[in-house]
């Protein structure tokens, strides 16, 4: 069942922030955009590619007023060990955002991404708006990494929609024309996009 247009499930857990441990909760992000993504496990294969890709582009999310938060069922201690492992050896180095430790698997379960039998989370990604509602979700199978460009595009589309009241048609990219969600006014867009 989708969480879109519903309040994001609250959470509170230990996280690795830089090289320190800190308790993080959803309340810490009130009034901000949040990109919360789940990944299966530390010390795996696709996971470090995603974590590094999001970390390397964290500044672009910050420019949009968005924070990033990663989450897996590993402990904060395993997160630290992985961060202390060089990238060329499959590590992630220090990330530009926190990594939550979902040891109880409650966060993964609350967001609907827990694979009960395997005890790990699918690759779920949620964009939570400043009011604390889920504005977007996508879930991938374990072997498919997410696309940072697409996450940024969707975040910009949601922000554009909230700011203007207009909607973003298929394949919309920032800077392109939006559409007025009205049967008559939408004809203007359709008239120039055959």
């Amino acid at each position: 069942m989708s969480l879109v247009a519903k309040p994001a499930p609250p959470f509170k857990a230990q996280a690795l922030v830089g090289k320190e441990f800190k308790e993080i909760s959803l309340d810490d992000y009130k009034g901000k955009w949040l990109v919360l993504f789940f990944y299966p496990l530390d010390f795996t294969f696709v996971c470090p590619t995603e974590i590094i890709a999001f970390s390397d582009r964290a500044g672009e999310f910050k420019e949009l007023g968005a924070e990033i938060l990663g989450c897996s069922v590993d402990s904060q201690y395993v997160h630290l060990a992985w961060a202390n492992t060089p990238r060329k050896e499959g590590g992630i180095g220090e990330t530009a955002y926190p990594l939550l430790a979902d040891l109880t698997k409650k966060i993964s379960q609350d967001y609907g991404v827990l694979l009960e039998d395997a005890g790990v989370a699918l690759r779920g990604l949620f964009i939570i708006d400043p009011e604390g509602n889920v504005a977007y979700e996508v879930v991938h199978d374990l072997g498919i990494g997410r696309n940072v460009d697409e996450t940024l595009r969707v975040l910009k589309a949601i922000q554009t929609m909230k700011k203007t009241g207009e909607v973003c048609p298929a394949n919309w990219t920032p800077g392109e024309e939006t559409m007025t969600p009205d049967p008559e006014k939408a004809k203007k867009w359709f008239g120039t996009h055959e």
Side-chain angles (χ1 to χ4, degrees):
M1 178 169 290
S2 177
L3 292 174
V4 173
K6 297 177 185 164
F11 57 80
K12 185 185 288 186
Q14 287 293 312
L16 177 67
V17 181
K19 298 286 180 140
E20 309 274 323
F21 300 139
K22 181 180 176 187
E23 189 173 79
I24 299 270
S25 76
L26 181 61
D27 287 342
D28 296 332
Y29 298 94
K30 276 185 181 172
K32 300 178 184 177
W33 290 92
L34 176 63
V35 176
L36 169 64
F37 74 93
F38 293 83
Y39 63 94
L41 290 168
D42 294 355
F43 291 100
T44 55
F45 315 104
V46 176
C47 299
T49 67
E50 292 184 311
I51 291 166
I52 290 167
F54 277 102
S55 187
D56 287 350
R57 305 213 24 218
E60 293 175 60
F61 287 91
K62 283 204 182 292
E63 286 174 12
L64 297 171
E67 301 290 329
I68 304 170
L69 182 59
C71 183
S72 81
V73 298
D74 298 287
S75 74
Q76 65 271 28
Y77 303 103
V78 178
H79 291 338
L80 179 60
W82 202 23
N84 285 332
T85 303
R87 286 182 175 186
K88 66 182 179 180
E89 293 176 19
I92 56 171
E94 189 171 334
T95 59
Y97 54 85
L99 295 176
L100 275 177
D102 185 19
L103 278 174
T104 66
K105 301 179 173 94
K106 180 167 178 20
I107 304 169
S108 300
Q109 188 172 49
D110 288 350
Y111 279 81
V113 296
L114 181 65
L115 282 176
E116 299 276 348
D117 293 346
V120 299
L122 291 165
R123 295 184 192 286
L125 184 141
F126 300 82
I127 297 177
I128 300 168
D129 70 20
E131 292 77 42
N133 297 309
V134 176
Y136 173 80
E137 71 180 8
V138 64
V139 181
H140 289 214
D141 201 348
L142 299 177
I144 305 165
R146 285 154 290 198
N147 184 307
V148 177
D149 288 329
E150 176 62 3
T151 304
L152 283 163
R153 184 193 76 82
V154 170
L155 175 61
K156 290 174 185 177
I158 295 166
Q159 290 177 337
T160 297
M161 187 181 71
K162 283 191 173 273
K163 181 179 177 183
T164 66
E166 302 246 319
V167 295
C168 300
N171 301 318
W172 178 89
T173 57
E176 289 185 349
E177 187 180 359
T178 54
M179 180 190 296
T180 303
D182 173 270
E184 283 303 310
K185 292 179 181 174
K187 290 178 183 176
K188 176 185 172 211
W189 187 90
F190 286 112
T192 58
H193 296 84
E194 292 184 44

Short mmCIF file of all heavy atoms in Angstrom, two decimals, residues 109-134:
data_model
loop_
_atom_site.label_atom_id
_atom_site.label_comp_id
_atom_site.label_asym_id
_atom_site.label_seq_id
_atom_site.Cartn_x
_atom_site.Cartn_y
_atom_site.Cartn_z
N GLN A 109 9.79 -1.73 8.05
CA GLN A 109 8.44 -2.28 8.05
C GLN A 109 7.39 -1.18 7.91
O GLN A 109 6.46 -1.28 7.12
CB GLN A 109 8.21 -3.09 9.32
CG GLN A 109 6.92 -3.86 9.33
CD GLN A 109 6.84 -4.78 10.53
OE1 GLN A 109 7.09 -4.36 11.66
NE2 GLN A 109 6.50 -6.04 10.28
N ASP A 110 7.57 -0.10 8.69
CA ASP A 110 6.60 1.01 8.65
C ASP A 110 6.52 1.66 7.27
O ASP A 110 5.47 2.16 6.88
CB ASP A 110 6.95 2.07 9.69
CG ASP A 110 6.66 1.61 11.12
OD1 ASP A 110 6.02 0.55 11.31
OD2 ASP A 110 7.10 2.31 12.05
N TYR A 111 7.63 1.65 6.54
CA TYR A 111 7.65 2.24 5.20
C TYR A 111 7.32 1.22 4.11
O TYR A 111 7.33 1.55 2.92
CB TYR A 111 8.99 2.94 4.94
CG TYR A 111 9.04 4.32 5.57
CD1 TYR A 111 9.32 4.48 6.93
CD2 TYR A 111 8.76 5.45 4.82
CE1 TYR A 111 9.32 5.74 7.52
CE2 TYR A 111 8.75 6.71 5.40
CZ TYR A 111 9.03 6.84 6.75
OH TYR A 111 9.02 8.09 7.33
N GLY A 112 7.02 -0.01 4.52
CA GLY A 112 6.57 -1.02 3.57
C GLY A 112 7.63 -1.60 2.67
O GLY A 112 7.31 -2.12 1.60
N VAL A 113 8.91 -1.53 3.08
CA VAL A 113 9.98 -2.02 2.22
C VAL A 113 10.70 -3.24 2.78
O VAL A 113 11.63 -3.75 2.16
CB VAL A 113 11.00 -0.91 1.89
CG1 VAL A 113 10.35 0.21 1.10
CG2 VAL A 113 11.66 -0.37 3.15
N LEU A 114 10.28 -3.73 3.95
CA LEU A 114 10.98 -4.86 4.57
C LEU A 114 10.63 -6.16 3.87
O LEU A 114 9.45 -6.50 3.70
CB LEU A 114 10.61 -4.96 6.06
CG LEU A 114 11.30 -6.09 6.83
CD1 LEU A 114 12.80 -5.86 6.89
CD2 LEU A 114 10.71 -6.21 8.23
N LEU A 115 11.65 -6.88 3.47
CA LEU A 115 11.48 -8.25 2.98
C LEU A 115 11.55 -9.15 4.22
O LEU A 115 12.64 -9.41 4.73
CB LEU A 115 12.58 -8.63 1.99
CG LEU A 115 12.47 -8.11 0.59
CD1 LEU A 115 13.70 -8.48 -0.23
CD2 LEU A 115 11.22 -8.65 -0.09
N GLU A 116 10.41 -9.56 4.71
CA GLU A 116 10.34 -10.29 5.98
C GLU A 116 11.24 -11.53 5.98
O GLU A 116 11.99 -11.76 6.94
CB GLU A 116 8.90 -10.71 6.28
CG GLU A 116 7.93 -9.56 6.42
CD GLU A 116 7.91 -8.94 7.80
OE1 GLU A 116 8.46 -9.53 8.74
OE2 GLU A 116 7.32 -7.85 7.93
N ASP A 117 11.16 -12.36 4.94
CA ASP A 117 11.92 -13.60 4.91
C ASP A 117 13.42 -13.38 4.90
O ASP A 117 14.17 -14.11 5.54
CB ASP A 117 11.52 -14.45 3.70
CG ASP A 117 10.09 -14.96 3.79
OD1 ASP A 117 9.51 -14.90 4.90
OD2 ASP A 117 9.56 -15.42 2.76
N ALA A 118 13.86 -12.36 4.17
CA ALA A 118 15.29 -12.08 4.06
C ALA A 118 15.80 -11.19 5.20
O ALA A 118 17.00 -11.15 5.47
CB ALA A 118 15.59 -11.41 2.72
N GLY A 119 14.88 -10.46 5.84
CA GLY A 119 15.28 -9.59 6.94
C GLY A 119 16.03 -8.34 6.51
O GLY A 119 16.76 -7.74 7.29
N VAL A 120 15.83 -7.94 5.25
CA VAL A 120 16.47 -6.72 4.73
C VAL A 120 15.43 -5.86 4.03
O VAL A 120 14.34 -6.33 3.70
CB VAL A 120 17.62 -7.04 3.74
CG1 VAL A 120 18.72 -7.83 4.42
CG2 VAL A 120 17.12 -7.77 2.51
N ALA A 121 15.79 -4.62 3.79
CA ALA A 121 14.88 -3.70 3.10
C ALA A 121 15.14 -3.72 1.60
O ALA A 121 16.28 -3.83 1.16
CB ALA A 121 15.08 -2.29 3.63
N LEU A 122 14.06 -3.59 0.85
CA LEU A 122 14.18 -3.33 -0.58
C LEU A 122 14.74 -1.92 -0.76
O LEU A 122 14.82 -1.14 0.20
CB LEU A 122 12.80 -3.42 -1.25
CG LEU A 122 12.19 -4.81 -1.32
CD1 LEU A 122 10.70 -4.71 -1.65
CD2 LEU A 122 12.91 -5.66 -2.36
N ARG A 123 15.07 -1.56 -1.97
CA ARG A 123 15.61 -0.23 -2.25
C ARG A 123 14.46 0.76 -2.40
O ARG A 123 14.07 1.13 -3.49
CB ARG A 123 16.46 -0.26 -3.52
CG ARG A 123 17.69 -1.09 -3.36
CD ARG A 123 18.58 -1.06 -4.58
NE ARG A 123 19.57 -2.10 -4.46
CZ ARG A 123 20.61 -2.07 -3.64
NH1 ARG A 123 20.83 -1.01 -2.89
NH2 ARG A 123 21.46 -3.07 -3.58
N GLY A 124 13.91 1.17 -1.27
CA GLY A 124 12.83 2.14 -1.27
C GLY A 124 13.38 3.55 -1.15
O GLY A 124 14.37 3.78 -0.46
N LEU A 125 12.74 4.49 -1.83
CA LEU A 125 13.13 5.90 -1.74
C LEU A 125 11.86 6.72 -1.58
O LEU A 125 10.89 6.52 -2.31
CB LEU A 125 13.88 6.33 -3.00
CG LEU A 125 14.42 7.76 -2.96
CD1 LEU A 125 15.80 7.83 -3.61
CD2 LEU A 125 13.47 8.73 -3.62
N PHE A 126 11.87 7.60 -0.59
CA PHE A 126 10.70 8.41 -0.25
C PHE A 126 11.11 9.88 -0.20
O PHE A 126 12.12 10.21 0.42
CB PHE A 126 10.14 7.99 1.11
CG PHE A 126 9.71 6.55 1.15
CD1 PHE A 126 10.64 5.55 1.37
CD2 PHE A 126 8.40 6.21 0.92
CE1 PHE A 126 10.26 4.22 1.38
CE2 PHE A 126 8.00 4.87 0.94
CZ PHE A 126 8.94 3.88 1.16
N ILE A 127 10.34 10.73 -0.85
CA ILE A 127 10.53 12.18 -0.71
C ILE A 127 9.42 12.66 0.21
O ILE A 127 8.23 12.48 -0.08
CB ILE A 127 10.50 12.90 -2.07
CG1 ILE A 127 11.67 12.43 -2.94
CG2 ILE A 127 10.55 14.42 -1.86
CD1 ILE A 127 11.71 13.03 -4.34
N ILE A 128 9.84 13.25 1.33
CA ILE A 128 8.91 13.73 2.34
C ILE A 128 8.93 15.26 2.30
O ILE A 128 10.01 15.86 2.33
CB ILE A 128 9.31 13.20 3.73
CG1 ILE A 128 9.30 11.65 3.70
CG2 ILE A 128 8.39 13.74 4.81
CD1 ILE A 128 9.93 10.99 4.91
N ASP A 129 7.75 15.86 2.22
CA ASP A 129 7.68 17.32 2.09
C ASP A 129 7.86 18.00 3.45
O ASP A 129 7.88 17.34 4.49
CB ASP A 129 6.40 17.74 1.36
CG ASP A 129 5.13 17.53 2.15
OD1 ASP A 129 5.17 17.40 3.40
OD2 ASP A 129 4.05 17.49 1.53
N PRO A 130 8.01 19.33 3.45
CA PRO A 130 8.24 20.04 4.72
C PRO A 130 7.11 19.90 5.73
O PRO A 130 7.31 20.12 6.93
CB PRO A 130 8.39 21.50 4.28
CG PRO A 130 8.91 21.42 2.88
CD PRO A 130 8.19 20.22 2.30
N GLU A 131 5.92 19.50 5.28
CA GLU A 131 4.80 19.29 6.20
C GLU A 131 4.80 17.88 6.78
O GLU A 131 3.94 17.53 7.59
CB GLU A 131 3.46 19.53 5.49
CG GLU A 131 3.22 20.99 5.11
CD GLU A 131 4.02 21.42 3.88
OE1 GLU A 131 4.10 20.64 2.91
OE2 GLU A 131 4.56 22.53 3.89
N GLY A 132 5.76 17.05 6.36
CA GLY A 132 5.87 15.69 6.89
C GLY A 132 5.06 14.65 6.15
O GLY A 132 4.87 13.54 6.65
N ASN A 133 4.60 14.98 4.93
CA ASN A 133 3.83 14.03 4.14
C ASN A 133 4.70 13.42 3.04
O ASN A 133 5.58 14.08 2.49
CB ASN A 133 2.63 14.72 3.50
CG ASN A 133 1.69 15.24 4.55
OD1 ASN A 133 1.30 14.51 5.46
ND2 ASN A 133 1.33 16.51 4.46
N VAL A 134 4.43 12.17 2.72
CA VAL A 134 5.15 11.50 1.65
C VAL A 134 4.62 12.02 0.32
O VAL A 134 3.43 11.93 0.03
CB VAL A 134 5.00 9.97 1.73
CG1 VAL A 134 5.68 9.29 0.54
CG2 VAL A 134 5.58 9.44 3.05
#
